[in-house]
């Protein structure tokens, strides 16, 4: 009899966290590495959010709360959905969880079982397929390359749906590409979904507030109200509010699903941290003006990285609409050889070359389901990004 469960055998460790561990190991040996693998803002949590947490501690808000969130935080989330997305959710339609990944995990475990299919556009965030597989379901991967802006088409979605399809995971802006669907593009996908009433939608909007230029964010339940009853709208505080370590994710959706997620959470983590919930309440109800300033900084970094990567022969880097990632296509580098004689026969080999030879850490495209490419997080300083991209340019120029 095996000690470990079959469900655990269906998943793999997160490739992004694995690269972060490699970087930490090198730094622990005193080796200088520029880490562009982690999806974490370098900005600090806003002071007014910290102050709310301190006040909660001093006010004795250190006890258990309702399993899936305090009344205050649920009210703040309902207000956020109404203010930002025009969506109405009552308290019993809102779930608060231990980070956005926990929200997604709860929703999938509560709904997916053996034999179910879940459509996952690629490139995808590394955890989506693994969680589906953990549940015993089958991820149906729909690839969308740089030539179509890393966004699936209505025809692709329609072709992927079968009688076994339980749901679609739709993420915009995307991790890893930064691609984002316009309202019209979402409506077109929604028209397909309306023809298939057995398909649920999980809209992961974690990067909602990190968008650039003239792009206007929209979520599918907003632009396709007919899908409201079978859509879970997922969000959180980690990215826009620089609260990755506070671990607060949330969602709005059908009462039946929210109740099921609470049931699961009651037997796993129980309530999210009471102090983090107080901080999240402040984040969602406080002054939002700092978001524009931070987005301006992210946009400068995006433009810097896109420009420097596109200057490399054999690299094509689309300009993202949001998030803080770029996902350059490196088809033109595959088949070349490093100065040390190693073949660049995959994007994984290219990333190893960058780390070993020029000490820049990124994540290979195979981890996200679409190769050959790699992901860079530009959520760090312009000086670090300039140095990292200079090293990548030099490394690529040295290939033969």
């Amino acid at each position: 009899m095996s000690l470990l469960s079959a469900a655990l055998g269906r998943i793999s460790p997160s490739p992004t966290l694995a690269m972060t561990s490699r970087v930490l190991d090198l730094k622990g040996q005193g080796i200088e590495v520029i880490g562009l693998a982690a999806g974490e803002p370098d900005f600090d949590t806003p002071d007014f959010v910290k102050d709310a947490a301190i006040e909660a501690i001093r006010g004795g808000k250190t006890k258990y709360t309702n399993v899936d969130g305090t009344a205050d935080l649920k009210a703040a989330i309902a207000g956020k959905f109404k203010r930002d997305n025009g969506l109405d959710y009552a308290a019993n339609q809102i779930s608060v969880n231990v980070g956005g990944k926990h929200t997604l995990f709860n929703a999938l475990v509560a709904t997916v079982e053996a034999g179910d299919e879940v459509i996952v556009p690629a490139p995808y965030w590394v955890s989506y397929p693994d969680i589906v597989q953990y549940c015993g379901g089958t991820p149906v991967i729909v690839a969308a390359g740089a030539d179509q802006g890393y966004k699936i088409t209505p025809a692709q979605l329609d072709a992927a749906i079968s009688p076994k399809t339980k749901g679609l995971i739709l993420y915009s802006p995307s991790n890893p590409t930064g691609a984002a669907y316009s309202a019209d593009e979402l409506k077109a996908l929604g028209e397909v979904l309306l023809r298939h009433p057995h398909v649920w939608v999980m809209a992961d909007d974690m990067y909602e507030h990190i968008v650039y230029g003239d792009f206007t964010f929209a979520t599918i339940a907003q632009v396709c109200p007919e899908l409201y009853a079978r859509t879970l709208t997922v969000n959180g505080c980690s990215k826009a509010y620089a609260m990755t370590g506070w671990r607060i994710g949330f969602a709005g959706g059908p009462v039946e699903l929210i109740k099921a997620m609470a049931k699961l959470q009651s037997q796993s983590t129980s309530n999210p941290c009471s102090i983090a919930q107080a901080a999240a309440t402040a984040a969602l109800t406080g002054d939002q003006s700092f978001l524009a300033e931070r987005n301006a900084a992210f946009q400068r970094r995006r433009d810097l990285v896109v420009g420097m990567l596109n200057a490399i022969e054999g690299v094509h880097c689309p300009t993202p609409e949001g998030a803080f990632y770029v996902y350059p296509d490196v088809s033109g580098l595959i088949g070349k050889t490093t100065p040390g004689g190693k073949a660049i026969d995959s994007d994984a080999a290219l990333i190893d070359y960058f780390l070993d030879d020029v000490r820049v850490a990124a994540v290979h495209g195979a981890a996200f389901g679409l190769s050959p490419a790699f992901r860079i997080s530009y959520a760090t300083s312009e000086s670090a990004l300039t140095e990292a991209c200079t090293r990548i340019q030099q490394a690529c120029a040295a290939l033969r």
Side-chain angles (χ1 to χ4, degrees):
M1 181 181 294
S2 173
L3 172 65
L4 303 180
S5 71
L8 190 65
R10 293 194 290 267
I11 65 174
S12 304
S14 166
T16 53
L17 296 182
M19 178 56 78
T20 300
S21 295
R22 288 179 65 184
V23 171
L24 291 175
D25 287 344
L26 288 170
K27 289 184 176 180
Q29 299 170 39
I31 299 172
E32 181 269 339
V33 179
I34 302 177
L36 304 180
E40 182 170 50
D42 61 329
F43 296 113
D44 201 5
T45 303
D47 285 341
F48 74 90
V49 176
K50 296 180 189 177
D51 291 342
I54 294 168
E55 183 179 346
I57 294 170
R58 290 178 174 160
K61 294 182 179 180
T62 56
K63 308 298 183 183
Y64 293 131
T65 74
N66 292 340
V67 165
D68 63 346
T70 65
D72 285 348
L73 180 50
K74 285 194 172 189
I77 292 167
K80 170 263 174 295
F81 278 131
K82 183 66 173 177
R83 177 189 71 221
D84 298 337
N85 311 117
L87 295 173
D88 290 307
Y89 290 113
N92 65 348
Q93 292 181 276
I94 292 173
S95 178
V96 183
N97 320 102
V98 188
K101 185 181 290 189
H102 188 218
T103 306
L104 297 163
F105 184 89
N106 281 356
L108 288 167
V109 170
T111 57
V112 176
E113 51 193 349
D116 288 342
E117 296 177 350
V118 178
I119 297 170
V120 182
Y124 47 68
W125 180 48
V126 294
S127 294
Y128 295 136
D130 278 76
I131 298 174
V132 172
Q133 290 171 161
Y134 176 85
C135 299
T138 300
V140 175
I141 308 303
V142 179
D147 59 331
Q148 58 190 75
Y150 295 126
K151 292 180 280 191
I152 64 170
T153 66
Q156 284 181 298
L157 174 59
D158 197 40
I161 295 174
S162 80
K164 295 181 179 180
T165 303
K166 175 61 72 73
L168 162 70
I169 304 177
L170 190 63
Y171 29 100
S172 174
S174 159
N175 173 5
T177 68
Y181 292 90
S182 68
D184 286 342
E185 288 168 332
L186 289 173
K187 286 178 183 177
L189 295 176
E191 288 173 3
V192 173
L193 293 165
L194 289 173
R195 298 198 296 269
H196 301 278
H198 66 292
V199 180
W200 287 72
V201 185
M202 185 182 299
D204 183 352
D205 298 345
M206 186 61 71
Y207 295 88
E208 167 187 8
H209 291 300
I210 306 175
V211 294
Y212 310 118
D214 296 332
F215 185 84
T216 300
F217 175 83
T219 192
I220 194 160
Q222 175 186 19
V223 300
C224 299
E226 302 93 335
L227 294 175
Y228 172 87
R230 52 184 168 112
T231 298
L232 184 73
T233 304
V234 179
N235 214 308
C237 296
S238 291
K239 308 302 182 180
Y241 298 96
M243 294 176 67
T244 50
W246 297 79
R247 307 313 301 138
I248 295 293
F250 55 83
V255 172
E256 179 185 13
L257 177 54
I258 297 300
K259 185 177 180 179
M261 292 167 65
K263 179 180 179 180
L264 177 63
Q265 189 158 303
S266 74
Q267 296 290 7
S268 56
T269 62
S270 192
N271 66 271
C273 170
S274 60
I275 305 307
Q277 290 190 70
T281 301
L284 295 174
T285 59
D287 183 3
Q288 307 291 297
S289 61
F290 72 95
L291 294 171
E293 180 181 342
R294 293 186 176 188
N295 275 11
F298 280 136
Q299 183 166 341
R300 289 193 298 272
R301 298 170 184 184
R302 178 201 68 172
D303 294 344
L304 167 68
V305 171
V306 169
M308 292 189 73
L309 291 178
N310 276 329
I312 301 171
E313 185 177 354
V315 174
H316 168 55
C317 184
T319 301
E321 290 92 353
F324 38 68
Y325 309 102
V326 291
Y327 198 76
D329 181 298
V330 293
S331 302
L333 301 180
I334 303 301
K336 295 194 174 186
T337 304
T338 72
K342 294 182 179 179
I344 302 299
D345 55 4
S346 67
D347 49 29
L350 182 67
I351 291 306
D352 285 342
Y353 169 53
F354 290 162
L355 184 60
D356 293 339
D357 283 42
V358 296
R359 302 304 186 193
V360 174
V363 186
H364 62 293
F368 305 102
L370 190 72
S371 294
F374 64 90
R375 188 194 78 171
I376 279 180
S377 168
Y378 52 85
T380 190
S381 69
E382 291 184 39
S383 59
L385 292 169
T386 300
E387 176 61 23
C389 290
T390 299
R391 294 183 189 186
I392 292 173
Q393 286 178 339
Q394 293 169 345
C396 292
L399 293 173
R400 295 292 178 265

